[in-house]
Amino acid sequence: MRCQLCESQTEKIYKVIRKSKIYECSLCQLAFIDQKVLTVTKLLKDDTSELYNFENYKKDEGRLRKRFKKLTVKITAHKKSGSVLDVGAGFGLFSSELNKTGDFNFDLIEPGLKLRYVGKLEKKIYPLTFEKFKAGRKYDIILMMDVLEHYINPLKNLEKAKRLLKKEGILVIQTPNYKSLMASICRDWAWWMVEDHKFFFSPKSLRLILEKAGFGSQHLMTYEDREDFKKNLDGNFVKIKNHFLRAVIKGVYFTIFFPIYFVARNMLWRLNYGGLIFVIADKVI
Ligand SMILES: [Zn+2]
């Protein structure tokens, strides 16, 4: 397998998830699935339909809004107004939160889902993929929240994002961190979603790919949502068939684990062990 970043060959299999091999370039800390099996994994795509179900998403809306608010504040510390391109906007919740913290107009790209939260936004919607998108203007902010890991060629799409940014523009990225504590200790880390995710980044590989795409200084942090962590940890106990025993073991584990986690998590995040990587990158140095 060839690493898209350093172009060296690697045969190191980092993990096998539902029969899909995940390779890793240990030099760049970039993990990826075999590009040749992409067509096969597409067949499994129906398995992920639950994840993109609006009724399920809505149940988490309050929690997501709170989480997004913390992130949008970081964005508006850089830019409080202007044009935003939201790539892979999903249901539009992130942009709707961003709109509360500044004075923005939006172009939203979303090929698969109906944008449910963008009613109040000054906007244009493009129901297509980023690869097919032809922009008529340049942007102050480009958002790529949880999309980079889906692309067949993330580097090419980052280069395109760079071209679409104004000189003083910023790129905002969020992507799962496969070198996180969560990924290490959760047997079924939800983001090993080989049906949909083609690349897996660590803070190191994300920095490298942004540099290669020509971005300047980067403000990078890692974090995760406690509920997400808890849900992911639940998977560690599914093999215990006895319900009572499972509840007891889980109870003891969580009672010990979470207090320690709460004390240590800020340090863990600073050391880049958070489950999600969030970056604001400048176009120029
Ligand atoms: Zn590499």
Side-chain angles (χ1 to χ4, degrees):
M1 291 306 119
R2 195 174 60 88
C3 168
Q4 207 181 79
L5 276 179
C6 68
E7 291 175 15
S8 68
Q9 287 291 329
T10 178
E11 293 308 320
K12 183 184 167 193
I13 296 169
Y14 185 76
K15 226 175 172 64
V16 179
I17 304 284
R18 295 183 286 283
K19 293 184 184 160
S20 289
K21 289 178 189 141
I22 296 172
Y23 294 87
E24 185 195 42
C25 169
S26 14
L27 222 63
C28 304
Q29 279 190 1
L30 181 71
F32 46 91
I33 62 166
D34 183 351
Q35 303 293 312
K36 275 178 260 159
V37 302
L38 288 180
T39 44
V40 180
T41 55
K42 260 187 196 133
L43 298 172
L44 298 166
K45 202 152 181 172
D46 280 351
D47 295 349
T48 60
S49 55
E50 275 288 286
L51 285 170
Y52 304 115
N53 176 298
F54 183 62
E55 293 308 313
N56 288 346
Y57 188 87
K58 228 165 45 179
K59 287 179 203 152
D60 280 336
E61 186 185 319
R63 184 164 64 89
L64 289 169
R65 276 193 192 277
K66 266 190 214 157
R67 192 214 287 182
F68 291 167
K69 198 175 175 181
K70 286 182 194 158
L71 301 176
T72 56
V73 166
K74 291 187 188 296
I75 297 171
T76 44
H78 291 255
K79 270 190 198 306
K80 287 187 176 59
S81 62
S83 52
V84 179
L85 177 67
D86 187 348
V87 181
F91 296 115
L93 190 63
F94 193 85
S95 275
S96 96
E97 275 304 311
L98 180 63
N99 196 45
K100 287 182 187 167
T101 53
D103 181 19
F104 298 108
N105 61 77
F106 293 83
D107 280 353
L108 305 123
I109 303 177
E110 175 48 56
L113 301 171
K114 199 171 164 194
L115 287 112
R116 312 269 188 159
Y117 296 104
V118 297
K120 290 180 185 154
L121 270 53
E122 189 192 328
K123 62 181 183 295
K124 265 189 194 157
I125 295 171
Y126 299 84
L128 38 79
T129 61
F130 185 48
E131 288 84 352
K132 288 189 182 144
F133 175 69
K134 286 188 177 66
R137 58 171 173 161
K138 293 204 172 192
Y139 299 91
D140 293 291
I141 301 174
I142 295 184
L143 302 174
M144 285 185 156
M145 297 294 289
D146 307 304
V147 294
L148 204 60
E149 62 277 13
H150 293 255
Y151 293 138
I152 290 171
N153 196 329
L155 178 63
K156 209 169 144 189
N157 283 350
L158 287 174
E159 286 166 347
K160 179 169 179 174
K162 195 191 169 193
R163 287 196 300 274
L164 297 183
L165 273 177
K166 288 181 187 170
K167 199 174 170 227
E168 303 292 319
I170 54 168
L171 172 71
V172 180
I173 291 184
Q174 176 172 283
T175 190
N177 177 9
Y178 86 101
K179 291 287 187 189
S180 59
L181 176 71
M182 246 177 125
S184 318
I185 68 170
C186 298
R187 195 191 300 246
D188 296 311
W189 189 50
W191 288 307
W192 288 126
M193 212 162 71
V194 287
E195 294 81 3
D196 248 2
H197 293 176
K198 296 159 186 73
F199 285 88
F200 304 91
F201 295 91
S202 72
K204 182 181 172 178
S205 46
L206 192 58
R207 279 190 192 282
L208 284 172
I209 198 168
L210 282 165
E211 274 170 29
K212 198 166 181 184
F215 283 92
S217 59
Q218 304 167 16
H219 313 268
L220 185 146
M221 62 170 227
T222 73
Y223 78 103
E224 74 255 317
D225 187 287
R226 180 181 59 106
E227 272 305 304
D228 278 349
F229 208 147
K230 197 166 166 292
K231 270 190 214 160
N232 273 274
L233 272 173
D234 275 345
N236 288 16
F237 304 95
V238 288
K239 284 204 172 145
I240 307 167
K241 294 286 171 233
N242 183 307
H243 288 266
F244 176 71
L245 196 64
R246 190 199 304 161
V248 170
I249 294 176
K250 221 165 100 170
V252 171
Y253 187 92
F254 282 179
T255 314
I256 297 168
F257 176 78
F258 275 104
I260 300 172
Y261 166 72
F262 276 121
V263 173
R265 74 172 179 181
N266 280 318
M267 192 183 69
L268 285 166
W269 293 351
R270 268 200 296 274
L271 294 169
N272 286 342
Y273 289 111
L276 290 164
I277 316 168
F278 180 77
V279 184
I280 299 177
D282 297 331
K283 184 170 173 173
V284 285
I285 301 161

